[in-house]
Amino acid sequence: MALKALDIYKLLPKKNCKECGDPTCLTFAMKLAQGKAEPDLCPYISDEAKSTLGASTRPPIQKVTVGMGTLSVTIGEEFVFYRHEKTFYHQPGIMYAISDTESDERIREVVREIRNCHLTRIGIDLLLNGLAITADSGSPERFASALTIATAGNPDLPLVLMAADPAVMEAGLGICGNYLPLIHAADDQNLEVFCGLAKKYGAPLIVRGSDPEHLAALTERCTGLGITQLMLALSGDEGTFVRYSTLVRQLALARVVPGLGYPVFYDARDTGFSGAICGIAKFASVIVTRPLTRTEMQAVLVMRQNIYTDPQKPIQITPGLYRVGNPSRSDPVFLTVNFSLTYFTLQGYLEATRRSCWLLIVDTEGMSVLTAVAAGKLSEAVVKDGIEKFRLADEVDHKTLIIPGYASPLSGRIEEYTGWNVIVGPRDAAEIAAFMEEELK
Amino acid sequence: MTLTYSPGWTASIREVVIGATASEGGTRRVSYRIGGEADLPAIGPGRRPLIAFELCDDPAIWPEVVRCACTSLIDNPPDWARYVDTILGVDLIRLNLSSTRRRNFIAYDAVSRIVRDILAASSLPLMIEGSADPDIDSKVFQQCGEAGGKERLVLGTAEAARYRSVAAAAIAYGHAVIAQSPIDVNLAKQLNILLREAGVPDDRIIIDPYTGALGYGFEYTYSTMERIRFAALKGDGDLAMPMIAAPSDSLTVKEVRGSVHSHETAIAWEVATSVAAALAGAAILVVRHPGSVQPLKESLKNLWPEGGMI
């Protein structure tokens, strides 16, 4: 439950010492209420007040950044359990794992695979986010040299350094520590040293334990040492992951276990493709997997795009006159709305007919045909506007538009208002091939 | 202290029985009880979703990639069914009567013949996807229902605009019904109420929320399924039916059709969609590519290690 500024003010020492950087305790309280300041900035705050505030001013899941620059990955800061409640905000970073025992050439190859992965769907670039290097060699020298190879020419590629031995981790951080790599992982044995390393480089730290309770205890120790850029490591098969990840998310959102208010890291090296899909659906914020095949990689990136699409905002396509195939001046013109899903579905089925045609996309503010007709966003005026703006008459030498089946109530008005003839097409894009065969011989 | 969280569920998913063994009056070697869960999918005790393989009686409209993968089997549906049962090892067979989608279909006798042939070829429980045309539905579903005898088939598909024929056949012969609505929790609820009023018992309805293909609206399906499961666990009896996900559009999307690696793409698309649908609450997952079965089995085994019991 979020506290109001005045409630927070009551918990502060009310000294107006300005040491937090704010002129008064009240203005500091207002910042805390908005999540724009951390309670730690106040040197005189009581532990009790800090824990009360810590649990109420921060988002239920801490925001964490991995890497620097345009490729950096920001995760956490999530507020809901179901995407339909609002949206999932920060999509998981997907990292390919490689062992430092692999050859230098293989390491270069996997880095190339990550960097060359470019998939564009509905106008958005989908990317793999980085590389995870595991210190299976056990040798500080080899770990460092593997990282030198991986980062040559790619200093900005986000990294996960996976080593339990502090000496090995330190050697790795010596190569790339300034680029905020994710440190995997602090456990019961090495926690103090790893916290020291995380502090030295300002890098985010993953804690690893046997279950959520253990993880919460470890993060409490880390925050006690001043480390707050933390992640919780989960591993195991899909079922184990889903059960723990669900519990962590539920407890974090309920704010009942402050030590669990951190994004989840899923080591899916053993579960691969199916593990990555489970990670995306069930709250993982960084997923490390073996390098996937090209088709698996595409399915994973598209799944991530689907699950992290904001349900409140339809994805839109820019209105305009689009070509399917290589249309001539006599080829048919299909009209539809600028809801991207409608566009891409229709385009796919039109391409499958292997006949060229024109696709006139008018601006319905991203609404689907049915909702646009109901809300008056698809109207004769919008159609006329589209015909004129995109100079349809200059491109074709006929005056016939094929409109979606669900827009049939508008057919008469469109004809009158635009002077174009209207043919009512099918309701379902899947029927477009049959429609073309019968109606447009 | 072990950490736990109680989401405050008050109800569970209704159970539906599919297939009938000899002791239950049918001839199937196994029957399944689906549903029954009282928590989120893969959380707490629950049943592993069943994998159904869909085949058809007229492969002309079937996805190219499946026709290639199933080779000449597709010209002989009983052989195809045997292969799916014994070699692929799925849980259920779904027969799609694609022949009924042809213009001017009148071969009603062939419908009961093919249903009998498939029931003879494999002793797995059977689902049937019938016609989609109100003018022929009545005769087609009557034939299916009768040919299915006491086998407790699953008949599909009932939609708000045309559910009476399939409902009538299900009521007359004791089969279950698939109730499909266009990715909308309220329409799903409405259709269940219509079916109940038509006389279909609640424990013989399976919700098909309609599965948008990955990359083509799957997120709408995913959230609709999550909402249905949530409503059911919170006590909405009109939505407390088990769900089926049939990513049948997945194999006709551009990525699969246009790919040089069309088989790998088909499998990746079907498996990804099925795993996510299982996590959103599907009790039955329908696939069409033979290569999807093994990876999907493996994944479901990890997600539901206990397998069957509640």
Side-chain angles (χ1 to χ4, degrees):
Chain A
M1 231 9 107
L3 290 179
K4 292 203 182 74
L6 276 177
D7 299 326
I8 295 172
Y9 177 68
K10 288 177 194 156
L11 299 168
L12 297 176
K14 305 183 199 70
K15 293 160 69 97
N16 295 336
C17 67
K18 304 184 178 62
E19 287 180 45
C20 62
D22 266 283
T24 64
C25 287
L26 185 59
T27 55
F28 182 56
M30 289 164 75
K31 278 195 178 168
L32 286 172
Q34 295 163 351
K36 288 181 179 161
E38 291 288 328
D40 290 340
L41 289 170
C42 174
Y44 306 106
I45 194 166
S46 70
D47 284 347
E48 198 187 339
K50 196 158 46 174
S51 69
T52 314
L53 288 173
S56 63
T57 57
R58 267 190 235 118
I61 297 165
Q62 170 81 38
K63 179 165 131 184
V64 173
T65 301
V66 182
M68 292 180 89
T70 52
L71 294 180
S72 68
V73 183
T74 296
I75 48 181
E77 217 173 17
E78 298 290 347
F79 292 87
V80 294
F81 186 82
Y82 295 105
R83 58 186 290 283
H84 67 252
E85 288 176 88
K86 195 166 172 68
T87 184
F88 292 166
Y89 287 93
H90 295 115
Q91 58 175 21
I94 296 172
M95 319 280 194
Y96 279 178
I98 184 135
S99 166
D100 70 349
T101 56
E102 296 270 3
S103 70
D104 295 357
E105 188 37 48
R106 176 65 186 148
I107 294 173
R108 284 191 200 97
E109 193 178 285
V110 173
V111 170
R112 270 198 304 274
E113 243 180 272
I114 296 166
R115 297 227 72 153
N116 294 340
C117 150
H118 283 291
L119 182 63
T120 304
R121 291 193 85 264
I122 50 175
I124 298 166
D125 289 328
L126 309 182
L127 301 173
L128 289 169
N129 303 94
L131 182 75
I133 301 200
T134 56
D136 299 310
S137 68
S139 142
E141 294 74 30
R142 175 54 192 160
F143 194 52
S145 77
L147 278 164
T148 307
I149 287 155
T151 53
N154 296 294
D156 56 342
L157 186 70
L159 294 169
V160 186
L161 309 191
M162 301 177 77
D165 178 344
V168 175
M169 183 58 77
E170 191 156 15
L173 287 168
I175 303 297
C176 60
N178 293 328
Y179 289 92
L180 303 188
L182 196 45
I183 300 174
H184 179 286
D187 55 25
D188 283 327
Q189 272 76 49
N190 65 19
L191 188 126
E192 275 77 18
V193 192
F194 268 49
C195 280
L197 289 171
K199 191 169 243 174
K200 180 174 170 194
Y201 290 98
L205 176 67
I206 304 172
V207 298
R208 180 172 52 183
S210 54
D211 55 37
E213 194 186 354
H214 189 189
L215 291 171
L218 290 170
T219 59
E220 299 271 358
R221 283 173 64 193
C222 293
T223 50
L225 294 167
I227 306 294
T228 56
Q229 286 280 291
L230 293 166
M231 290 192 78
L232 311 168
L234 296 179
S235 56
D237 66 20
E238 294 94 322
T240 311
F241 164 75
V242 168
R243 279 181 282 282
Y244 279 153
S245 184
T246 300
L247 181 62
V248 166
R249 182 68 153 239
Q250 287 167 329
L251 292 169
L253 293 179
R255 297 180 193 264
V256 289
V257 186
L260 292 179
Y262 300 94
V264 162
F265 170 93
Y266 182 25
D267 180 354
R269 282 176 296 159
D270 295 334
T271 48
F273 176 55
S274 134
I277 297 294
C278 292
I280 290 164
K282 293 292 176 181
F283 323 120
S285 287
V286 169
I287 300 167
V288 167
T289 167
R290 60 168 164 74
L292 301 170
T293 67
R294 187 164 170 72
T295 52
E296 287 173 338
M297 177 271 287
Q298 286 173 339
V300 162
L301 294 184
V302 174
M303 183 62 78
R304 180 178 67 177
Q305 183 182 35
N306 273 187
I307 298 294
Y308 278 78
T309 292
D310 185 345
Q312 304 157 114
K313 288 187 212 136
I315 304 178
Q316 304 187 20
I317 183 101
T318 316
L321 184 61
Y322 291 78
R323 290 157 192 264
V324 179
N326 188 16
S328 73
R329 301 184 65 83
S330 61
D331 279 318
V333 180
F334 288 86
L335 174 125
T336 199
V337 297
N338 75 322
F339 176 38
S340 73
L341 195 58
T342 305
Y343 168 78
F344 283 99
T345 307
L346 180 59
Q347 186 212 31
Y349 282 106
L350 286 171
E351 281 178 358
T353 66
R354 295 173 198 278
R355 286 181 52 168
S356 294
C357 60
W358 301 91
L359 195 46
L360 179 64
I361 304 298
V362 296
D363 188 357
T364 56
E365 297 167 23
M367 283 189 194
S368 71
V369 176
L370 205 53
T371 40
V373 170
K377 298 291 178 190
L378 179 59
S379 64
E380 60 274 25
V382 169
V383 174
K384 185 163 191 250
D385 193 47
I387 291 174
E388 287 169 0
K389 198 165 163 194
F390 307 119
R391 299 174 174 280
L392 185 55
D394 295 348
E395 299 287 350
V396 299
D397 51 20
H398 61 82
K399 289 198 83 172
T400 301
L401 280 179
I402 302 162
I403 65 168
Y406 280 117
S408 64
L410 299 173
S411 60
R413 278 183 299 185
I414 294 174
E415 288 199 331
E416 277 170 32
Y417 198 71
T418 65
W420 284 61
N421 303 317
V422 168
I423 298 177
V424 176
R427 290 181 168 195
D428 186 340
E431 288 155 25
I432 215 100
F435 170 82
M436 282 178 105
E437 216 169 278
E438 284 161 33
E439 309 288 332
L440 310 172
K441 274 173 207 151
Chain B
M1 177 200 78
T2 309
L3 293 171
T4 55
Y5 179 79
S6 166
W9 306 129
T10 58
S12 58
I13 310 297
R14 206 171 274 115
E15 293 188 328
V16 174
V17 179
I18 303 174
T21 60
S23 65
E24 294 161 324
T27 63
R28 305 296 87 196
R29 68 173 184 266
V30 59
S31 63
Y32 302 111
R33 195 172 281 273
I34 61 170
E37 292 86 3
D39 205 333
L40 295 172
I43 307 295
R47 296 191 166 103
R48 187 182 301 158
L50 302 174
I51 302 176
F53 193 94
E54 186 171 28
L55 38 88
C56 68
D57 67 341
D58 182 352
I61 63 158
W62 225 232
E64 171 81 25
V65 65
V66 179
R67 281 187 287 164
C68 289
C70 292
T71 65
S72 61
L73 284 170
I74 59 168
D75 296 322
N76 189 325
D79 283 351
W80 197 2
R82 267 188 288 272
Y83 163 79
V84 164
D85 177 346
T86 58
I87 308 291
L88 295 183
V90 298
D91 304 305
L92 282 163
I93 289 173
R94 183 187 218 188
L95 171 65
N96 186 314
L97 296 171
S98 51
S99 61
T100 62
R101 308 294 167 103
R102 291 213 181 244
R103 196 171 294 253
N104 304 325
F105 172 85
I106 48 160
Y108 300 105
D109 292 348
V111 166
S112 55
R113 202 176 325 125
I114 185 78
V115 171
R116 288 203 176 88
D117 287 352
I118 299 295
L119 284 168
S122 162
S123 57
L124 287 176
L126 181 65
M127 299 195 285
I128 297 179
E129 173 66 13
S131 51
D133 176 354
D135 294 340
I136 62 170
D137 279 354
S138 168
K139 279 189 175 169
V140 169
F141 286 111
Q142 160 66 25
Q143 295 279 341
C144 295
E146 191 182 355
K150 297 188 160 57
E151 303 287 6
R152 283 204 294 232
L153 307 178
V154 180
L155 297 179
T157 292
E159 299 169 53
R162 38 168 290 277
Y163 63 91
R164 292 192 181 278
S165 302
V166 58
I171 294 163
Y173 300 98
H175 304 309
V177 171
I178 291 176
Q180 189 188 77
S181 40
I183 321 190
D184 184 298
V185 59
N186 295 315
L187 296 178
K189 181 174 166 122
Q190 216 170 68
L191 179 55
N192 289 343
I193 295 169
L194 286 174
L195 286 169
R196 181 188 300 142
E197 284 170 357
V200 180
D202 283 348
D203 63 359
R204 279 202 257 143
I205 298 174
I206 298 170
I207 299 174
D208 178 355
Y210 188 86
T211 308
L214 178 59
Y216 294 86
F218 176 68
E219 70 271 32
Y220 294 89
T221 300
Y222 183 83
S223 284
T224 300
M225 294 178 79
E226 286 200 323
R227 295 178 70 171
I228 291 174
R229 179 73 163 229
F230 179 86
L233 295 176
K234 284 286 185 187
D236 187 339
D238 297 333
L239 286 169
M241 290 73 171
M243 289 185 274
I244 181 171
S248 37
D249 285 353
S250 285
L251 301 188
T252 54
V253 302
K254 197 164 73 177
E255 283 77 0
V256 175
R257 278 197 326 263
S259 169
V260 281
H261 308 289
S262 60
H263 290 292
E264 289 89 333
T265 311
I267 294 164
W269 241 248
E270 270 199 332
V271 171
T273 310
S274 298
V275 170
L279 289 174
I284 302 177
L285 304 163
V286 183
V287 297
R288 292 183 177 182
H289 197 290
S292 300
V293 176
Q294 283 316 319
L296 184 53
K297 261 191 191 174
E298 193 61 34
S299 175
L300 296 179
K301 206 171 73 197
N302 291 336
L303 282 166
W304 280 269
E306 313 293 327
M309 292 325 292
I310 289 187

